[in-house]
Amino acid sequence: MWDTPIVERQFRVLLEQSTPTEKARLHAVSSKESGAWLDALPVSVLGLRIGAKLCEPHACRCGVQVDGLGRHGLACKNSAGRHSRHDALNDIIHRALTSCQVYNIREPNGLLRDDGRRPDGLTLVPWCQGKALAWDVTVVDTLTQTYLQGSTERVGFAASQAEEKKRSMYVELEGRYLFCAVGFETFGVFGNEARDLIQKIGKKIMDSTAKEQHKRNAERGYGYTLAQSAHPVTQVRQNVKFGV
């Protein structure tokens, strides 16, 4: 595009003038996957992406003071949307694999770890190298203090760190299965393993259906789920419902 140099220069200026938190947000929303929700069904998350004021300051039930930007709900353990978001992302993977005839089950029995936890899904047929695919989804807040410094310097830092942490939790599956830690950030960024898995699933869908549209629909589904669950108005409504 003719205006690309101008846009890139203005983006660099914004980064130089931003606080670490805002710099992490700008890096995250500039990634390709973070904008996938723009092609999905309309959702009111624009304010979250551009850093606009979205709610009145209030005290969360967890004790944190929530400012007008309304971002606390993305990471608060009391947020009612965390489990539904996780389930929705896993359902997209489950249905996408099934659509390309890679049959799979959610929360498989027989793969229990010592602490009783199990991965989110397992294919019933070999995925690659003669091994079945086991996956586990993790979603981390882009702006969480744990990863904030890294997120200001590299897009997808929080998701990649979350994937590494998740992988270390399932190290005993290595060898028997191909394990994939599917990491996402609340601002829509994909982790390296998540991006690789989604691209491979998309290719299998294209190979089996010869339709690019199926791949685009899968990508939109991830972006829409992350964007919808991150809708601050929804979070405020959920906080009110649960007395936060």
Side-chain angles (χ1 to χ4, degrees), residues 153-173:
E153 301 172 355
R154 178 165 64 91
V155 177
F157 176 83
S160 296
Q161 291 295 306
E163 286 180 340
E164 290 181 12
K165 182 178 180 181
K166 180 69 70 173
R167 176 168 287 279
S168 67
M169 296 169 60
Y170 288 94
V171 65
E172 69 271 19
L173 296 182

Side-chain angles (χ1 to χ4, degrees), residues 41 51 156:
L41 295 173

Side-chain angles (χ1 to χ4, degrees), residues 84-115:
S84 60
R85 176 181 61 196
H86 185 272
D87 186 68
L89 290 169
N90 272 301
D91 187 59
I92 293 173
I93 296 175
H94 165 70
R95 288 186 288 108
L97 286 169
T98 301
S99 70
C100 58
Q101 300 181 349
V102 180
Y103 301 107
N104 60 97
I105 56 174
R106 297 277 303 273
E107 298 185 351
N109 293 317
L111 300 181
L112 298 178
R113 307 188 320 160
D114 292 339
D115 59 5

Side-chain angles (χ1 to χ4, degrees), residues 19-223:
T19 64
T21 299
E22 292 304 304
K23 186 178 295 185
R25 177 184 64 82
L26 288 170
H27 273 306
V29 300
S30 68
S31 70
K32 178 182 177 181
E33 297 88 0
S34 183
W37 64 276
L38 292 170
D39 293 325
L41 295 173
V43 286
S44 303
V45 298
L46 181 59
L48 180 67
R49 299 300 172 93
I50 67 176
K53 181 178 179 181
L54 298 170
C55 67
E56 290 298 320
H58 62 280
C60 177
R61 182 174 60 179
C62 70
V64 172
Q65 189 66 29
V66 182
D67 60 21
L69 298 175
R71 298 170 181 167
H72 172 67
L74 298 176
C76 181
K77 294 182 179 181
N78 293 325
S79 175
R82 291 165 61 93
H83 296 293
S84 60
R85 176 181 61 196
H86 185 272
D87 186 68
L89 290 169
N90 272 301
D91 187 59
I92 293 173
I93 296 175
H94 165 70
R95 288 186 288 108
L97 286 169
T98 301
S99 70
C100 58
Q101 300 181 349
V102 180
Y103 301 107
N104 60 97
I105 56 174
R106 297 277 303 273
E107 298 185 351
N109 293 317
L111 300 181
L112 298 178
R113 307 188 320 160
D114 292 339
D115 59 5
R117 298 184 64 178
R118 53 191 174 184
D120 290 324
L122 175 73
T123 63
L124 300 177
V125 294
W127 172 253
C128 185
Q129 301 174 3
K131 299 178 182 178
L133 169 71
W135 79 84
D136 202 82
V137 169
T138 180
V139 182
V140 63
D141 182 21
T142 305
L143 308 181
T144 184
Q145 289 297 319
T146 305
Y147 305 123
L148 183 58
Q149 182 59 42
S151 294
T152 63
E153 301 172 355
R154 178 165 64 91
V155 177
F157 176 83
S160 296
Q161 291 295 306
E163 286 180 340
E164 290 181 12
K165 182 178 180 181
K166 180 69 70 173
R167 176 168 287 279
S168 67
M169 296 169 60
Y170 288 94
V171 65
E172 69 271 19
L173 296 182
E174 297 288 347
R176 291 187 295 157
Y177 306 96
L178 290 177
F179 178 75
C180 181
V182 189
F184 300 99
E185 294 184 17
T186 52
F187 274 75
V189 185
F190 292 13
N192 294 330
E193 292 191 43
R195 184 182 299 107
D196 182 64
L197 177 63
I198 292 168
Q199 289 177 347
K200 288 180 178 178
I201 294 176
K203 186 177 184 304
K204 283 185 177 291
I205 292 176
M206 291 174 62
D207 290 343
S208 62
T209 63
K211 292 182 179 180
E212 170 70 18
Q213 189 63 36
H214 285 276
K215 178 183 177 183
R216 295 177 61 188
N217 286 342
E219 291 175 344
R220 290 173 182 174
Y222 294 107

